[in-house]
Amino acid sequence: MPDLEVAVPAAALLALLVTAYLHPRGRTEAAVGLLAALATLATGALDVDALVDELRHLGPVVLFLVTILVVGDVCGRAGVFDAAAGGVRRLGRDHPVPLFTGVFLLAALVTTTLSLDATVVLLTPVVLVAAAAAGVSARPGAHACLRMANSASLLFPVSNLTNLLAMRHVGLTFLGFARVMAPVLVVVLVVEYAAARLLFRRELREEADPEHRVPDRPPVPALPVVTVGLMLAGFAVGSPLGVEPFWVSGVAAAVLTAWAWRRGLVTARQALHAGHPAFAVFVLCLGVVVAALAVGPLGDLVRDLLPHETSYLSLLVVALLATVLANLLTNLSATLLLVPMLAPLGTAAVLAALLGLNIGSGLTYTGSLANLLWRRTLVRHGERPSLREFHRVSLVVTPVTLLAAVTVLGLVAPH
């Protein structure tokens, strides 16, 4: 392969990663993405057929991302997260442990149903307010949101873009995916919860401030909750029929936007902004660049490292390789690169990769865009997350959780 066909996509990927880390304004993000993709295509590294195939694969995933972000935004404006946190906050009136337990489970629920972005961007600020209202440290709850955003995004294909990108390679329906991953998720939650209780034991031993009055729990708006429930049912029903998830989430987004607009909760411009269209363009461009790299030396190197069977040790190798790639390239880029190569090995290998791409991406700030969004969310709300504390938690918990998850997967996954 000519030098330009290697150097240009590599430089384009670097530019995209730097842009993702800096998180500039949407126009800048989209412009960098388009320039990177056009520069890559100009080298001829991808032919027209390969480009069309990549866009056909990524298009439905990006449309799902846009619509589910709108669903999460409207739920936030309608007070769904405030209502849920209000109930959790009442648990922490007398002691921080019940509050933390409620936040932990709520973060896992939000991640599985509305995707990890809703957890780090919409739920985390609510958790900070809940902790302040209860007079307890916000650190355990904030870290629970971050850990659950990555580690709890295993249950449904729609819980994480990495899962959705991998779906065409796993040979499972929506419910089939959930059946395999449910026991894995249960073990992950147990390990993560036990580790958090140990690592934050000092904060969780503190008594709640008795001078803090717990406000009444706000009412739960019925229509958004019902719509989200019906949306999940729609995913399950539509999957065996070949219905792409974005059709279901698109209907849910339209219903909720119309409902919120009539009540003055959202304008058309705010709804459009909630979908982050510039980031959607960025993801499409990232897919083009990574597809070009996959046919070059980087793709060859990754293929050489892959095992040729799906024994327990092989699944562990796949999960570790996915973890390394996620923390070097971000988990979204790593998914686009790694998962198609694993498809010939079958469902178990692809699912093992998802464990590394989801759980393993919590190892460093650069592993997942959710990590960076979480940090920015805390800073915007007056909290200064410690890099040392982040890694104190991540370097201890991530390897243990990943090992436990691969072990369970090896027992339950189809080979």
Side-chain angles (χ1 to χ4, degrees), residues 78-289:
V80 172
F81 300 122
D82 289 328
V88 169
R89 186 167 57 235
R90 297 187 71 83
L91 297 175
R93 259 182 315 197
D94 303 316
H95 199 274
V97 171
L99 175 63
F100 171 74
T101 302
V103 166
F104 182 91
L105 295 175
L106 179 59
L109 177 64
V110 170
T111 297
T112 57
T113 56
L114 290 174
S115 84
L116 73 172
D117 294 305
T119 303
V120 294
V121 176
L122 300 174
L123 180 62
T124 300
V126 175
V127 168
L128 297 177
V129 172
V136 299
S137 171
R139 290 165 58 216
H143 277 271
C145 289
L146 175 63
R147 295 299 308 177
M148 290 300 94
N150 291 310
S151 295
S153 62
L154 301 172
L155 183 61
F156 296 137
V158 295
S159 302
N160 197 326
L161 280 190
T162 56
N163 301 349
L164 209 53
L165 286 168
M167 272 304 287
R168 70 170 179 171
H169 301 290
V170 298
L172 297 171
T173 64
F174 182 91
L175 289 179
F177 186 97
R179 277 194 297 269
V180 174
M181 296 302 261
V184 179
L185 178 62
V186 169
V187 171
V188 165
L189 293 180
V190 170
V191 172
E192 291 273 353
Y193 180 78
R197 288 290 304 272
L198 177 64
L199 291 172
F200 290 102
R201 60 190 181 278
R202 183 176 302 171
E203 292 87 346
L204 295 175
R205 280 200 298 263
E206 297 174 356
E207 292 296 327
D209 188 340
E211 295 187 3
H212 280 74
R213 183 180 66 87
V214 179
D216 294 333
R217 182 174 63 184
V220 179
L223 188 134
V225 175
V226 171
T227 302
V228 170
L230 291 175
M231 179 181 69
L232 291 174
F235 292 145
V237 172
S239 178
L241 303 176
V243 177
E244 292 283 359
F246 77 86
W247 289 111
V248 180
S249 57
V251 171
V255 169
L256 287 175
T257 300
W259 174 84
W261 179 76
R262 287 198 300 270
R263 284 158 179 75
L265 297 176
V266 69
T267 64
R269 182 173 182 176
Q270 288 171 332
L272 178 64
H273 180 72
H276 295 280
F279 183 64
V281 172
F282 183 84
V283 171
L284 285 172
C285 295
L286 178 64
V288 171
V289 172

Side-chain angles (χ1 to χ4, degrees), residues 14 18 37-38 41 43 63-64 78 84 88 105 110 118 134 149 178 224 237 239 278 280 309 314 320 347-348 354 407:
L14 179 61
V18 170
L38 290 173
L41 293 174
T43 66
L63 286 173
F64 169 79
V88 169
L105 295 175
V110 170
V237 172
S239 178
E309 34 113 27
S314 296
L320 292 175
T347 299
L354 288 178
T407 301

Side-chain angles (χ1 to χ4, degrees), residues 20-98:
Y21 299 149
L22 295 177
H23 194 54
R25 296 180 62 181
R27 293 177 184 176
T28 302
E29 193 172 49
V32 172
L34 289 170
L35 287 174
L38 290 173
T40 297
L41 293 174
T43 66
L46 284 182
D47 59 29
V48 175
D49 289 340
L51 174 62
V52 171
D53 183 64
E54 189 67 23
L55 293 178
R56 186 183 295 119
H57 173 45
L58 279 177
V61 176
V62 169
L63 286 173
F64 169 79
L65 171 65
V66 170
T67 52
I68 200 66
L69 287 174
V70 173
V71 170
D73 181 77
V74 174
C75 286
R77 292 177 185 273
V80 172
F81 300 122
D82 289 328
V88 169
R89 186 167 57 235
R90 297 187 71 83
L91 297 175
R93 259 182 315 197
D94 303 316
H95 199 274
V97 171

Side-chain angles (χ1 to χ4, degrees), residues 293-306 321 325 328 337 341:
L293 285 169
V295 298
L298 177 59
D300 294 337
L301 174 62
V302 173
R303 286 187 191 90
D304 290 341
L305 294 173
L306 295 178
L321 178 60
L325 289 174
L328 289 176
L337 176 66
M341 299 179 189

